[in-house]
Amino acid sequence: MTTEVKTKVIGKSVWRNEDPRLLTGMAQFVDDIELPGMLHAAFYRSDYAHARIKSIDVSAARARPGVVAVYTAEDFGDYWHVGPLQVPPPLAIKGAQFNARPLVPIAKDKVRYSGEPLAVVLAESRYIAEDALADIYADLEPLPAVTDMEKALEPGAPLVHDDLGTNLAADVYQQVGDYEAAKAKADVVIARRFFKDRCAGGAMENRGIVCAWDEKAQKMTVWCGTQAPIPMRNAIAKNLGLSEDQVRLVIPFIGGGFGPKVMTSMPDDVLLPWLSRKLNRPIKWIEDRRENFLATTSERDQIHYAEIALTKDGKILGVKDVFYHNTGAYDPYGMTVPLNTQTHTLGQYDVPNFYTQIKMVFTNKMVVTPVRGAGRNYGVFVMERLMDLAAKELKMDPVEIRMKNLIQPHQLPYKTGIIGQDFVENVLDSGDYPASLKKAVEMIGYEKFVKEEQPRLRAEGKWVGIGVVNFVEGTAVGPYEGARVTVGNNGKVVVLTGCSTQGQAHFTTFAQLVAEQLGVDVKDVHVTTGDTDQFHWGAGTFASRGITVAGSAVYAAATKVRAKALSLASKLLETPEEELELADGVVRVADLPSKFIPLGELAMKANPTRGTIEPGVEPGLEATAYYAPPHGATGYGTNAIILEVDKETFDVKIRRFVFVHDCGTVVNPMVAEAQIHGGVQMGIGTAFFEQLVYDDNGQLLNASFQDYLMPKATDMPMKMELGHLSVPSPLNPLGLKGLGEAGAIPPPAAYAQAIENAIHDVDFEILDMPLNPSRLYELVKAARKK
Amino acid sequence: MLHEITLTVNGEQRTVAVKSHHTLLKVLREQLGITSPKIGCENGECGACTVLMNGKAVNSCLVLAVEADGAVIETVENLSKEGELHPLQQAFVEHNAIQCGFCTPGMIMSAKGLLDRNPHPTVDEVKEALAGNLCRCTGYIRIVDAVMDVAKKGDA
């Protein structure tokens, strides 16, 4: 299916179309929208993580001047409803048990996490709305909270959902071969417990929504920073009993997504459109930062009991991983995150026997849904740690043991036998894994470092270490995306898609795909990525799927428009199509450039106001196309770092940061590299900075940027050394694979290996993430005592 | 209670009646229609609301509007002239120092505040000046490169 594409615009580091607006204050974000008569919403949230609701008195709040309405769950009457599930259960996996407990929009009878809404206030200003929150009195009977995944499954544990009789949200196992038989034959078996704690999405823009019911037009317009405009539009229409075309969702600029903004059926998008219609007033709600930490979904939070069985020469015979996944108080996003863990655990390695089991657990913590990396990174962390432990046990070099177990290029496409988040078997479609590891090892100068530099630095008393780890990134899952491409009478091109952008440069990369086919300037292609009145098919921007899934649809639509343009121009110019070319905004005779017709003129001719058009020809220089992959495309890479641990402070300083990756054909190298930079920042955050700390009562203790440490400008390496491989995916015409989450995946594993390697004079193991200086100090101190 | 304040915003003198408890950020956004300073935390922790006040980078969410009476305020809206981007803005384009763009106006103003007082900073000085501006998208390296590029050319 893949053909060698000779490109003019694809593959070029074109500057971004969106930048001038973003740089000059001319980009509209949801909070920049002001409508006449707009009310402001504020949510009254529970201070308890687990409590029974005895009564809520909102009378004083209602009496406050400027307050228009206050609603509790009771006040929503029959409109109050549970869910729906945003992602269906994994029925494709044999024997899968899944207990659906989707989100409720506003707590009724019981509170299940700290920050869960109990009432919503609508007032003439946000100040008044917030003041009115202080007027509300909620009589709550605190219940013992459960936050620990393992304790949650013990008999007698407090139940998050009483009717369920257990806190087990799901139990899903998958296996390939026979692990126990493999273990029986193994020379070495290594088993450990691993833990990875929770991190925030941390988009700089909090969540927000503006909704306005138009009684005369009988139409709801919603502005919102969602990653999934079409599903949200459809959900709002269904909730309100409207047909889909009565709801218009408009996506302004979005200040970062990172996963949590893919959620629909959150309290705001369920309750506020209904209230706007009921009160016939526009309503705005912008989350504040504390609410974002408390009550926007977050991720990570898994405990793994994993083991690896090997021969004495380091060949892996099998891996077993039984893990607990904390879904928090509800499970609206199905099992996307832990299924990602299952499909990513073995990474690039050829392992004939694999047993993997998910025990998904309800607790009184905020709900878990994907955050950049989305389950992939702990699978990778666990496997890479097992490899390091095995290397140590077998006295092998960490690179050597990895090289020995890689899936070879001739084995691709490699069917893993594990069903993934898209409910089809995970297939590693394309690549050259040994080349990735070799390239990273060369780039970082592994041999030289280990043989020359490290001994010298150790002699100087320095703790300097190296880490080299591999990863895969399943990307670009289905179901599909679509796009419409239209050439206007002014010769400029409009691209419409439902795949919204949160900074990934869709306005530029999609424009490049069109410019390639139509021979126009990238600046003359205007992309709209989320206005449901203009285009209303698609699933959204998640799972690193934008350029591959939506981009392939854009490219296909542009290809169709090109064919229409050539056909019509051939007739008008009386020249065979093969002799025509599209360039500089015109269709022209390749050998006689003075004989041409501008695209705008051609667009007019394609849409005549009188006369006839040929039977079978659709009017306009316009086409719509869809792309639906059979399964995801899998990127991969290798992360190699050299770091130094300060012997006094236990702070870690990165000396070298090498990242080799393969995302197939690259549309815009500058943009692709930027995705790695950003992903790595998050990867470093989850390795050494970021941790949402909950106490045993389910209270989040660090709900601010003061206390929750995101990497700052001063925390990043001086430079990122990127190595590119480009093996095209066979799954789509351009050979694209996703990349958006790659950077976030391997850094914790690389940190762990490099830190252990640096602190060579202490025998200790890093099994939990994230680290920070004090935790590292405690680990080393404990090991020294032994 | 309302207070009448007069301030110079992006070269234009403006007189507005502001409430005692309203911040400069709120007044800029809601009364003066200048929306480039963003609300990221309202606690001075993220830097998305950074503007120059009398030439100094400040978190406008931590400045009461009444404190800005008589002040000179500058935001990114004032940087590009007749469609030409300011060298800092242009460097952000060329270095791809922007992704979602939410932190960008604050980041640019912090950088401008630095370069106005120290036209030739070291890399560490640039990082230090930007440490109060959080960015979740870019990983900062390209932002620092963009600012250093302008500093080296010396045309900020």
Side-chain angles (χ1 to χ4, degrees):
Chain A
M1 188 172 175
T2 305
T3 49
E4 184 71 22
V5 187
K6 283 199 177 133
T7 56
K8 299 190 193 83
V9 191
I10 293 172
K12 301 282 187 306
S13 289
V14 177
W15 293 346
R16 303 193 337 156
N17 279 345
E18 46 270 70
D19 284 354
R21 284 167 74 190
L22 292 165
L23 280 160
T24 54
M26 294 300 124
Q28 187 181 52
F29 292 82
V30 65
D31 194 19
D32 302 337
I33 294 166
E34 292 286 330
L35 300 174
M38 190 165 76
L39 294 173
H40 295 263
F43 286 96
Y44 180 86
R45 298 176 182 278
S46 171
D47 288 334
Y48 293 108
H50 199 195
R52 207 162 298 288
I53 301 167
K54 294 171 82 175
S55 64
I56 305 172
D57 182 356
V58 297
S59 54
R62 283 191 178 128
R64 177 178 283 272
V67 170
V68 172
V70 183
Y71 276 73
T72 65
E74 299 304 324
D75 301 315
F76 283 99
D78 291 343
Y79 181 65
W80 189 94
H81 61 275
V82 174
L85 274 183
Q86 194 169 341
V87 174
L91 301 175
I93 301 171
K94 214 176 130 194
Q97 286 180 50
F98 178 77
N99 296 313
R101 289 296 182 276
L103 276 172
V104 302
I106 186 164
K108 191 183 213 174
D109 304 327
K110 194 174 161 176
V111 169
R112 296 186 176 87
Y113 65 88
S114 173
E116 189 162 15
L118 289 163
V120 54
V121 174
L122 299 169
E124 299 293 346
S125 79
R126 180 69 179 252
Y127 273 99
I128 297 170
E130 299 251 355
D131 284 350
L133 297 182
D135 301 332
I136 294 173
Y137 176 72
D139 187 6
L140 304 179
E141 178 196 340
L143 299 168
V146 60
T147 56
D148 181 297
M149 287 174 268
E150 292 178 283
K151 284 183 187 156
L153 294 183
E154 287 171 3
L159 291 175
V160 179
H161 297 276
D162 304 73
D163 62 309
L164 198 55
T166 172
N167 288 319
L168 187 68
D171 194 341
V172 173
Y173 76 90
Q174 303 196 61
Q175 61 182 330
V176 175
D178 182 343
Y179 174 76
E180 294 304 329
K183 183 181 176 180
K185 288 183 213 148
D187 299 315
V188 179
V189 176
I190 292 162
R192 293 290 188 279
R193 178 188 191 272
F194 301 93
F195 173 56
K196 197 133 185 299
D197 209 350
R198 208 179 264 236
C199 299
M204 295 316 301
E205 179 197 44
N206 291 306
R207 293 176 62 258
I209 189 169
V210 173
C211 40
W213 172 249
D214 183 335
E215 183 68 23
K216 287 178 188 160
Q218 291 288 297
K219 183 148 184 164
M220 176 69 68
T221 305
V222 177
W223 293 263
C224 167
T226 180
Q227 296 174 225
I230 317 289
M232 184 180 274
R233 191 268 319 238
N234 297 350
I236 291 170
K238 184 169 191 298
N239 285 341
L240 301 184
L242 299 172
S243 53
E244 280 79 4
D245 79 325
Q246 284 180 284
V247 179
R248 179 186 182 196
L249 207 68
V250 187
I251 310 302
F253 276 93
I254 304 176
F258 311 111
K261 286 184 185 167
V262 81
M263 281 298 294
T264 58
S265 300
M266 293 286 279
D268 45 291
D269 67 87
V270 174
L271 303 179
L272 300 181
W274 187 84
L275 287 167
S276 173
R277 189 183 183 193
K278 176 129 184 131
L279 303 171
N280 200 19
R281 299 269 304 262
I283 297 174
K284 181 187 213 175
W285 173 70
I286 303 295
E287 181 184 61
D288 69 24
R289 184 54 64 182
R290 183 169 172 275
E291 290 180 294
N292 183 272
F293 275 111
L294 280 173
T296 275
T297 56
S298 48
E299 203 222 272
R300 321 297 189 225
D301 215 348
Q302 288 183 349
I303 296 168
H304 289 248
Y305 288 90
E307 57 184 77
I308 187 168
L310 309 100
T311 62
K312 60 179 177 299
D313 58 351
K315 188 77 190 149
I316 303 170
L317 297 175
V319 169
K320 180 180 180 184
D321 184 18
V322 176
F323 66 97
Y324 297 82
H325 172 78
N326 193 341
T327 188
Y330 301 92
D331 56 2
Y333 214 81
M335 299 191 68
T336 298
V337 174
L339 287 175
N340 258 353
T341 307
Q342 286 196 318
T343 48
H344 287 75
T345 304
L346 298 185
Q348 301 180 8
Y349 304 111
D350 192 7
V351 179
N353 302 287
F354 180 40
Y355 179 91
T356 172
Q357 184 174 10
I358 305 163
K359 288 180 182 293
M360 191 162 97
V361 187
F362 289 118
T363 64
N364 295 113
K365 289 167 81 168
M366 186 51 204
V367 175
V368 161
T369 67
V371 171
R372 194 178 204 168
R376 301 171 180 90
N377 38 2
Y378 359 104
V380 166
F381 177 74
V382 166
M383 185 66 188
E384 294 296 318
R385 290 276 65 204
L386 289 173
M387 300 287 275
D388 292 337
L389 292 161
K392 196 169 163 186
E393 177 80 22
L394 294 166
K395 299 191 168 41
M396 284 176 78
D397 179 86
V399 172
E400 184 195 351
I401 195 168
R402 284 170 167 78
M403 196 57 92
K404 197 176 188 108
N405 287 287
L406 290 175
I407 294 167
Q408 297 301 309
H410 68 82
Q411 291 175 275
L412 301 178
Y414 182 99
K415 292 186 169 186
T416 65
I418 303 296
I419 289 171
Q421 60 152 311
D422 51 352
F423 310 132
V424 291
E425 183 182 356
N426 177 43
V427 179
L428 308 175
D429 58 291
S430 56
D432 186 340
Y433 301 160
S436 173
L437 181 53
K438 271 184 212 150
K439 194 175 178 90
V441 163
E442 279 167 23
M443 282 176 71
I444 205 151
Y446 188 84
E447 290 287 318
K448 187 164 190 280
F449 177 81
V450 172
K451 290 190 176 142
E452 296 172 29
E453 290 170 36
Q454 194 174 37
R456 177 173 56 77
L457 292 163
R458 279 181 179 169
E460 289 171 20
K462 287 192 167 136
W463 276 347
V464 181
I466 191 163
V468 182
V469 299
N470 294 312
F471 70 96
V472 293
E473 185 202 5
T475 72
V477 296
Y480 76 97
E481 287 297 327
R484 183 180 304 140
V485 172
T486 310
V487 179
N489 291 347
N490 58 358
K492 298 196 175 180
V493 187
V494 169
V495 180
L496 304 173
T497 165
C499 194
S500 62
T501 175
Q502 301 82 45
Q504 303 92 333
H506 293 180
F507 298 126
T508 310
T509 53
F510 292 174
Q512 283 178 262
L513 297 171
V514 171
E516 183 70 40
Q517 283 291 1
L518 300 185
V520 293
D521 194 313
V522 174
K523 284 195 172 62
D524 288 331
V525 183
H526 179 82
V527 180
T528 293
T529 64
D531 179 345
T532 63
D533 267 12
Q534 297 199 58
F535 193 82
H536 60 103
W537 297 104
T541 305
F542 54 88
S544 301
R545 68 198 289 280
I547 196 66
T548 310
V549 187
S552 291
V554 169
Y555 188 68
T559 307
K560 284 186 181 178
V561 172
R562 178 188 174 86
K564 281 176 99 170
L566 283 170
S567 169
L568 183 57
S570 167
K571 292 183 187 88
L572 295 171
L573 296 172
E574 297 175 327
T575 307
E577 284 185 32
E578 312 80 68
E579 292 172 25
L580 298 176
E581 65 177 9
L582 283 85
D584 303 326
V586 305
V587 185
R588 67 190 177 204
V589 180
D591 293 336
L592 186 61
S594 59
K595 195 175 172 187
F596 68 89
I597 181 164
L599 275 179
E601 203 177 316
L602 209 52
M604 261 189 274
K605 301 261 191 213
N607 182 26
T609 55
R610 294 291 184 277
T612 58
I613 56 172
E614 270 184 56
V617 173
E618 290 180 359
L621 277 192
E622 176 174 292
T624 302
Y626 298 89
Y627 170 70
H631 55 77
T634 302
Y636 62 92
T638 303
N639 185 194
I641 65 174
I642 295 173
L643 53 72
E644 179 170 357
V645 182
D646 187 300
K647 284 188 153 175
E648 294 285 323
T649 64
F650 285 75
D651 198 5
V652 165
K653 192 171 170 59
I654 297 281
R655 288 179 159 225
R656 296 277 304 278
F657 199 102
V658 169
F659 201 96
V660 176
H661 79 102
D662 179 357
C663 63
T665 303
V666 178
V667 175
N668 184 324
M670 178 187 85
V671 166
E673 290 180 5
Q675 285 295 309
I676 297 174
H677 279 238
V680 162
Q681 175 189 359
M682 208 147 178
I684 289 175
T686 53
F688 208 71
F689 293 87
E690 300 179 40
Q691 183 177 19
L692 290 168
V693 181
Y694 283 84
D695 71 10
D696 292 343
N697 297 315
Q699 294 298 337
L700 180 59
L701 301 179
N702 56 343
S704 75
F705 283 136
Q706 190 76 27
D707 299 314
Y708 180 87
L709 302 181
M710 284 202 337
K712 303 185 298 295
T714 42
D715 298 321
M716 290 294 287
M718 281 297 286
K719 68 171 181 175
M720 198 82 70
E721 300 170 61
L722 302 180
H724 305 286
L725 298 170
S726 188
V727 181
S729 171
L731 298 171
N732 56 77
L734 285 171
L736 306 166
K737 294 182 262 200
L739 168 73
E741 294 168 89
I745 296 171
Y751 263 67
Q753 189 190 120
I755 290 171
E756 282 181 7
N757 182 251
I759 308 177
H760 59 99
D761 43 2
V762 183
D763 186 22
F764 75 113
E765 292 175 354
I766 295 170
L767 305 176
D768 300 343
M769 278 282 154
L771 288 172
N772 56 42
S774 57
R775 288 189 59 189
L776 185 54
Y777 169 76
E778 293 297 336
L779 270 179
V780 170
K781 192 171 84 171
R784 277 175 172 157
K785 268 188 190 161
K786 273 187 202 163
Chain B
M1 187 184 166
L2 288 175
H3 306 265
E4 194 173 276
I5 63 167
T6 298
L7 63 175
T8 305
V9 182
N10 293 335
E12 200 180 324
Q13 201 173 69
R14 307 284 293 265
T15 299
V16 278
V18 302
K19 290 187 175 169
S20 319
H21 57 286
H22 282 187
T23 62
L24 174 61
L25 173 61
K26 190 172 172 69
V27 169
L28 284 172
R29 288 180 55 84
E30 295 179 12
Q31 289 181 256
L32 298 172
I34 291 166
T35 56
S36 71
K38 296 298 178 200
I39 301 174
C41 70
E42 295 177 285
N43 278 312
E45 295 162 2
C46 78
C49 65
T50 304
V51 302
L52 292 187
M53 179 168 164
N54 300 326
K56 199 175 157 195
V58 298
N59 288 310
S60 62
C61 73
L62 295 184
V63 177
L64 286 171
V66 290
E67 294 178 279
D69 191 11
V72 177
I73 306 295
E74 191 178 21
T75 70
V76 290
E77 279 88 343
N78 197 43
L79 295 189
S80 60
K81 302 287 182 206
E82 291 161 15
E84 284 285 302
L85 294 178
H86 180 276
L88 262 173
Q89 292 171 316
Q90 185 61 32
F92 270 55
V93 173
E94 292 176 16
H95 288 267
N96 189 213
I98 312 170
Q99 288 188 34
C100 81
F102 195 79
C103 75
T104 306
M107 201 66 86
I108 295 258
M109 295 322 289
S110 282
K112 185 163 191 297
L114 169 71
L115 295 184
D116 285 351
R117 69 170 191 274
N118 176 7
H120 300 291
T122 64
V123 171
D124 284 342
E125 284 170 335
V126 170
K127 287 184 172 182
E128 196 63 37
L130 300 178
N133 294 76
L134 294 178
C135 169
R136 190 58 151 176
C137 297
T138 65
Y140 304 104
I141 293 172
R142 289 176 165 191
I143 294 175
V144 173
D145 288 349
V147 177
M148 283 305 290
D149 198 15
V150 176
K152 277 179 198 148
K153 288 178 189 161
D155 53 1

